[in-house]
Amino acid sequence: MSSQQNKQKDVVNKQMIFALNPKQDSNLIDPIKINKSNSYDPSYVKSEPLQKTISQVSNSNIGPFQDKDQSKHTNEVKNQKKQNKIKYIATRSIAGLKAYTKAQKDNQDSLFYKLEINKQVDKNLFLLADGHGEQGTKVSQYAIKSLSDCIYDMIESMSTQPKFIEQLNSNIITSFQKIESNLVNLSNIDITDSGTTMNLVITFENYLISANIGDTRTFYFQRSDKPDQLGPATLRIKQLSNQHTPEKEIESQRILESGGKIEQDTQGFQKTGPLKVKSKKQDIKDATITRSFGDALAKQVGIISLPDIHTFQIQQEGFLILATGSILDMIDIIDICRILTPITPPNSQAAIDNAAGQIIEEARKKAKLQPDIQDDYSLILVYIDMDLA
């Protein structure tokens, strides 16, 4: 995909995020029954049972008049804290096809999630890593395991005090730095030209904390029954990650100041393909991202492992999605919204499974039309309900 196409896609995504900026909805939503069947990834996940939803009051049950006791009770309910609860979750990870030959390659992505940490329904962890290079699989698995161990201990004592959230963000940065240091000094993995991106999401009470490095992306599709300026809307989109690629000015500036250079590959007399980070002294393989774990050679010219962190307060139930950049390079966020809208809210595990499969399949179909594409495709798709704590 060309630099110009990437910029155009960024513009479209920004416009949608602006147009569909989440606002608090006051509509009461009828309770949705839980389908107890859940599909988990046995390779990475130890799941704990999901809890039953609480009852909610529908609009039809509210009379035109309320006495003082009823009014007092209503105000008490409004003042109660909300907390998230994971209702359905689906994971998909499929190997890409080798460039030109289209034979299936090894899958270098790694997924992990843990629900109800410390037996608290609102505390959940999600991780998605996209490995690259000859040792990409080992790097992504190492980073997932190390980061999950670091974050798990933090989550056990969470609260929503503002100072605590600030401390949590600081601890996440420290964890990323620790993993980078351990990869260099303690692991036996050759990270000269190998590395991984990383997306992390922590949920607690009605908060989402998202941290990422690289081009793997996180979005929250918040349910809304209010009409939007673009027409009737059921989902409002919030982006919870930044793309760390040479197209971004802040990223390219750091590379150039560190002695690197940014340019496209050359075929014949023409420039082709995405912008890449290159060294003036030696070749760096396929460095199309500007932040990652590993990639020791690229670290010499400004590649870093510092995450961007987003804090988001959930107002309504909706879909959380962590997806590799390969998916959103092939299909737009609008395409994902089109797939999710008909199942809002989902009434079964099968609905979430089918949606996750459809997202992956649409991305792979478009990739097959481009002979030089060989990425893997992975996502975590979650439906989050909101309960009174």
Side-chain angles (χ1 to χ4, degrees), residues 323-339:
T324 52
S326 54
I327 293 176
L328 284 157
D329 285 342
M330 293 294 104
I331 63 175
D332 199 89
I333 193 68
I334 311 265
D335 296 313
I336 295 178
C337 198
R338 170 179 51 80
I339 293 169

Side-chain angles (χ1 to χ4, degrees), residues 6 28 41 51 72 81 85 99 101 108 111 130-131 133 148 160 165 169 222 264 284 297 315 335 341 347 363 389:
N6 279 330
L28 291 174
D41 182 353
Q51 306 295 315
K72 181 179 178 182
K81 288 183 178 180
K85 183 167 64 176
T101 65
Q108 296 180 302
L111 309 167
D130 181 355
S148 62
T160 54
I165 293 177
N169 292 346
Q222 188 160 265
Q264 292 174 283
I284 299 176
L297 191 59
Q315 301 293 345
D335 296 313
T341 298
N347 57 12

Side-chain angles (χ1 to χ4, degrees), residues 7-21:
K7 289 179 180 178
Q8 290 174 347
K9 179 168 284 189
D10 283 343
V11 171
V12 172
N13 286 344
K14 287 177 182 176
Q15 289 173 341
M16 282 303 299
I17 294 160
F18 176 78
L20 302 180
N21 184 35

Side-chain angles (χ1 to χ4, degrees), residues 252-297:
S252 61
Q253 182 178 352
R254 186 183 66 252
I255 300 300
L256 297 175
E257 290 175 351
S258 301
K261 57 181 181 178
I262 296 172
E263 58 185 36
Q264 292 174 283
D265 288 335
T266 302
Q267 288 186 358
F269 296 99
Q270 291 186 333
K271 298 288 186 180
T272 183
L275 290 177
K276 293 184 178 181
V277 177
K278 297 179 180 290
S279 170
K280 296 176 181 178
K281 297 180 180 179
Q282 52 192 320
D283 184 41
I284 299 176
K285 296 180 181 178
D286 300 323
T288 58
I289 55 176
T290 54
R291 302 194 193 193
S292 66
F293 288 130
D295 294 314
L297 191 59

Side-chain angles (χ1 to χ4, degrees), residues 53-91:
T53 54
I54 64 168
S55 299
Q56 297 186 38
V57 181
S58 66
N59 286 332
S60 60
N61 292 331
I62 300 176
F65 300 99
Q66 293 181 325
D67 59 28
K68 291 182 180 180
D69 289 338
Q70 288 176 320
S71 180
K72 181 179 178 182
H73 174 72
T74 300
N75 290 331
E76 288 175 351
V77 170
K78 286 182 179 179
N79 291 330
Q80 285 182 311
K81 288 183 178 180
K82 286 186 176 181
Q83 67 177 15
N84 80 89
K85 183 167 64 176
I86 307 305
K87 197 166 188 181
Y88 301 110
I89 182 168
T91 63

Side-chain angles (χ1 to χ4, degrees), residues 10-291:
D10 283 343
V11 171
V12 172
N13 286 344
K14 287 177 182 176
Q15 289 173 341
M16 282 303 299
I17 294 160
F18 176 78
L20 302 180
N21 184 35
K23 296 179 180 178
Q24 184 172 357
D25 291 330
S26 59
N27 301 54
L28 291 174
I29 301 172
D30 290 334
I32 305 164
K33 294 181 180 179
I34 291 182
N35 185 322
K36 296 263 179 132
S37 64
N38 295 284
S39 95
Y40 300 110
D41 182 353
S43 301
Y44 294 99
V45 179
K46 265 187 190 176
S47 62
E48 298 177 12
L50 302 183
Q51 306 295 315
K52 293 182 180 180
T53 54
I54 64 168
S55 299
Q56 297 186 38
V57 181
S58 66
N59 286 332
S60 60
N61 292 331
I62 300 176
F65 300 99
Q66 293 181 325
D67 59 28
K68 291 182 180 180
D69 289 338
Q70 288 176 320
S71 180
K72 181 179 178 182
H73 174 72
T74 300
N75 290 331
E76 288 175 351
V77 170
K78 286 182 179 179
N79 291 330
Q80 285 182 311
K81 288 183 178 180
K82 286 186 176 181
Q83 67 177 15
N84 80 89
K85 183 167 64 176
I86 307 305
K87 197 166 188 181
Y88 301 110
I89 182 168
T91 63
R92 291 290 183 276
S93 188
I94 299 176
L97 303 176
K98 293 181 180 179
Y100 301 102
T101 65
K102 293 305 178 183
Q104 189 157 333
K105 64 183 284 294
D106 292 333
N107 190 345
Q108 296 180 302
D109 295 348
S110 298
L111 309 167
F112 174 90
Y113 68 87
K114 175 65 177 176
L115 304 182
E116 300 182 17
I117 295 174
N118 203 27
K119 297 183 179 180
Q120 297 181 60
V121 68
D122 64 311
K123 293 180 171 59
N124 307 284
L125 172 65
F126 306 90
L127 298 171
L128 175 58
D130 181 355
H132 54 264
E134 291 185 6
Q135 303 297 318
T137 303
K138 291 182 179 180
V139 180
S140 69
Q141 291 177 350
Y142 181 92
I144 285 274
K145 176 64 170 62
S146 301
L147 190 56
S148 62
D149 288 344
C150 288
I151 300 300
Y152 188 90
D153 293 336
M154 297 181 203
I155 298 178
E156 289 187 316
S157 58
M158 277 187 178
S159 74
T160 54
Q161 296 297 324
K163 289 184 178 180
F164 183 85
I165 293 177
E166 291 177 8
Q167 186 61 49
L168 174 62
N169 292 346
S170 176
N171 288 343
I172 289 173
I173 292 173
T174 300
S175 297
F176 274 62
Q177 292 172 335
K178 179 180 178 180
I179 291 165
E180 178 68 24
S181 176
N182 289 347
L183 267 170
V184 174
N185 300 313
L186 299 180
S187 77
N188 296 319
I189 306 171
D190 181 2
I191 59 170
T192 303
D193 279 311
S194 298
T196 186
T197 65
M198 178 64 73
N199 267 39
L200 170 151
V201 173
I202 298 169
T203 71
F204 66 103
E205 293 191 4
N206 62 334
Y207 285 85
L208 286 175
I209 306 293
S210 172
N212 81 291
I213 52 175
D215 62 349
T216 306
R217 299 170 218 176
T218 299
F219 292 90
Y220 187 68
F221 298 77
Q222 188 160 265
R223 182 181 175 184
S224 173
D225 296 324
K226 289 187 176 181
D228 189 83
Q229 61 186 21
L230 299 181
T234 55
L235 295 172
R236 298 170 184 262
I237 306 168
K238 178 68 175 179
Q239 183 169 340
L240 297 172
S241 59
N242 291 337
Q243 287 178 259
H244 301 133
T245 63
E247 283 82 7
K248 306 293 184 181
E249 182 178 356
I250 189 172
E251 300 296 306
S252 61
Q253 182 178 352
R254 186 183 66 252
I255 300 300
L256 297 175
E257 290 175 351
S258 301
K261 57 181 181 178
I262 296 172
E263 58 185 36
Q264 292 174 283
D265 288 335
T266 302
Q267 288 186 358
F269 296 99
Q270 291 186 333
K271 298 288 186 180
T272 183
L275 290 177
K276 293 184 178 181
V277 177
K278 297 179 180 290
S279 170
K280 296 176 181 178
K281 297 180 180 179
Q282 52 192 320
D283 184 41
I284 299 176
K285 296 180 181 178
D286 300 323
T288 58
I289 55 176
T290 54
R291 302 194 193 193

